[in-house]
Amino acid sequence: MNDRLRKLYKVMDDLRLDAVLITLPKHVYYLTGFASEPHERLMGLVLPHGEEPFLFVPALDAEAAQAESSVSRIVTHADTDNPYEAMKRGLPFPVSRVGVEKGHLTLRRSEALSEALGGARFVDVEQTLTDMRAIKSAEEIARMKEAARLAEQALREALKHVRTGVTELDVTAELEYAMKKLGAAPAFASTVLSGEKSALPHGATGRRRIQAGDLLLFDIGVACDGYLSDMTRTFAVGEIGAKLKDVYAAVLEANLRAIAAVRTGSPIADVDRAARQLIEERGYGRYFTHRTGHGLGIEVHEYPSVHGDNRDLLREGMAITIEPGVYLPGEGGVRIEDDLLVTAAGAEALTSFPKGLTVIG
């Protein structure tokens, strides 16, 4: 049994639980090494108190689960079964208090599960998993570094195809093709925004044609063995105006100041404030409309949230993003995002793609 499962069994004792049921696929992977998207079918990791855990999977996933999971006991259910009754039959004893991820278990599923288990009470164990995931192991860090390296390599390939007249979708296709050729997959929907659209923090890549004088923003990431990268770089397509150059300089300095503020034991809010204060001093405060960053790991957004009201302390082993941005409506926007590891000495960058203003096209 791995250390992560041992921690869950300890929590089971502390909370006086009869069992724990983990249903978020990312958490099943985190705890067992088995990665699957069951869609509408029920899948979960079940930990009965004092007994061997078992992986509960649809029958069509049984062979893959047996091959990939660190948990050796596999219980399956067919499409014609009542999956909740099938899960109950896998339990060695009746249960009345069950730990679940309340943020993931839907109301419909919780009602069906409660009925099958005879009215069991559910206790949230999600915070335990959040705390575990916040501190990355050496193996997790290595995977995230590789995910960053692959994203940067794909970006270099995509930039070769940038020229005036091509669409954002054209460039995105080249980017994701490069990822696939590297044996990787996008961590999320890749974003390529040009011109005035780069001023949309969550803009959608589309058919706009890239023009001379545009800012061109890439927000990309790669998945590597379950772990993700998340990086943003902004480029100039030919010559851009003095105002946009000034915006770029402000965002770059804010990025560097926030990275310098990453210190073990410091409030997370200090990192956001370092970036925000610089941007406000440069006169663009009202155009910085989001937090400075977020946690990163098996999900693209996880704990902690790097914003100005977060008084939680940075801890060695946390992985976070730093991504200040300034967005001028109708003109263009700049965001520069890096992935960082919190260390005893400060911040270790997982991303290394150059950040100085680069002219392409």
Side-chain angles (χ1 to χ4, degrees), residues 168 193-201 203 208-209 211 213-216 244 327-334:
E168 296 166 344
L193 300 173
S194 60
E196 70 284 351
K197 288 182 63 183
S198 62
L200 304 173
R208 185 189 184 278
R209 294 189 181 277
Q211 303 170 28
D214 280 352
L215 287 173
L216 183 63
L244 293 180
Y327 311 94
L328 305 181
E331 297 182 66
V334 175

Side-chain angles (χ1 to χ4, degrees), residues 61-135:
D61 290 329
E63 185 175 352
Q66 197 71 62
E68 299 171 19
S69 173
S70 62
V71 171
S72 58
R73 186 184 172 205
I74 309 296
V75 176
T76 67
H77 63 96
D79 286 346
T80 53
D81 292 337
N82 179 324
Y84 307 97
E85 292 292 341
M87 179 181 289
K88 177 184 177 181
R89 289 194 294 270
L91 290 165
F93 45 72
V95 296
S96 59
R97 284 173 59 85
V98 179
V100 299
E101 307 135 298
K102 286 190 175 181
H104 177 253
L105 194 65
T106 65
L107 179 59
R108 183 184 300 276
R109 282 194 165 175
S110 65
E111 288 176 345
L113 185 62
S114 179
E115 181 180 354
L117 298 179
R121 179 186 172 189
F122 297 136
V123 178
D124 196 10
V125 296
E126 203 155 1
Q127 188 60 49
T128 296
L129 290 159
T130 296
D131 292 342
M132 289 167 60
R133 286 172 51 189
I135 307 303

Side-chain angles (χ1 to χ4, degrees), residues 43-267:
M43 179 184 76
L45 173 65
V46 184
L47 290 73
H49 187 272
E51 299 285 341
E52 179 187 7
F54 64 90
L55 196 55
F56 183 75
V57 300
L60 77 171
D61 290 329
E63 185 175 352
Q66 197 71 62
E68 299 171 19
S69 173
S70 62
V71 171
S72 58
R73 186 184 172 205
I74 309 296
V75 176
T76 67
H77 63 96
D79 286 346
T80 53
D81 292 337
N82 179 324
Y84 307 97
E85 292 292 341
M87 179 181 289
K88 177 184 177 181
R89 289 194 294 270
L91 290 165
F93 45 72
V95 296
S96 59
R97 284 173 59 85
V98 179
V100 299
E101 307 135 298
K102 286 190 175 181
H104 177 253
L105 194 65
T106 65
L107 179 59
R108 183 184 300 276
R109 282 194 165 175
S110 65
E111 288 176 345
L113 185 62
S114 179
E115 181 180 354
L117 298 179
R121 179 186 172 189
F122 297 136
V123 178
D124 196 10
V125 296
E126 203 155 1
Q127 188 60 49
T128 296
L129 290 159
T130 296
D131 292 342
M132 289 167 60
R133 286 172 51 189
I135 307 303
K136 270 55 180 184
S137 68
E139 181 181 359
E140 290 175 294
I141 294 162
R143 293 182 185 185
M144 293 177 71
K145 286 181 177 179
E146 179 65 4
R149 186 190 71 81
L150 291 170
E152 292 177 5
Q153 193 169 341
L155 178 56
R156 289 187 181 94
E157 289 299 315
L159 288 174
K160 296 175 183 177
H161 299 274
V162 174
R163 59 186 182 277
T164 57
V166 302
T167 69
E168 296 166 344
L169 284 171
D170 291 333
V171 177
T172 303
E174 296 293 348
L175 173 71
E176 296 194 347
Y177 177 56
M179 291 179 184
K180 293 180 185 299
K181 286 180 68 178
L182 291 167
F188 48 87
S190 303
T191 300
V192 178
L193 300 173
S194 60
E196 70 284 351
K197 288 182 63 183
S198 62
L200 304 173
H202 278 174
T205 301
R207 298 187 180 280
R208 185 189 184 278
R209 294 189 181 277
I210 295 169
Q211 303 170 28
D214 280 352
L215 287 173
L216 183 63
L217 185 150
F218 290 77
D219 189 347
I220 66 173
V222 158
C224 178
D225 293 330
Y227 286 79
L228 313 180
S229 58
D230 183 9
M231 178 182 72
T232 305
R233 291 292 186 268
T234 308
F235 303 90
V237 181
E239 185 64 24
I240 59 172
K243 185 176 182 181
L244 293 180
K245 287 181 181 178
D246 190 61
V247 168
Y248 194 99
V251 173
L252 176 56
E253 188 172 351
N255 170 278
L256 296 173
R257 285 203 185 180
I259 291 172
V262 173
R263 299 184 184 90
T264 300
S266 295

Side-chain angles (χ1 to χ4, degrees), residues 341-355:
L341 176 67
V342 181
T343 73
E348 176 188 341
L350 305 181
T351 44
S352 61
F353 200 97
K355 293 187 284 191

Side-chain angles (χ1 to χ4, degrees), residues 296-355:
L296 182 69
I298 59 174
E299 292 182 288
V300 70
H301 287 179
E302 48 182 69
Y303 175 84
S305 182
V306 184
H307 62 71
D309 291 328
N310 191 342
R311 303 304 303 173
D312 292 351
L313 303 182
L314 289 167
R315 290 181 283 158
E316 186 174 357
M318 284 181 167
I320 62 172
T321 68
I322 297 294
E323 50 180 300
V326 170
Y327 311 94
L328 305 181
E331 297 182 66
V334 175
R335 184 166 66 250
I336 302 172
E337 177 182 20
D338 287 301
D339 302 343
L340 304 174
L341 176 67
V342 181
T343 73
E348 176 188 341
L350 305 181
T351 44
S352 61
F353 200 97
K355 293 187 284 191

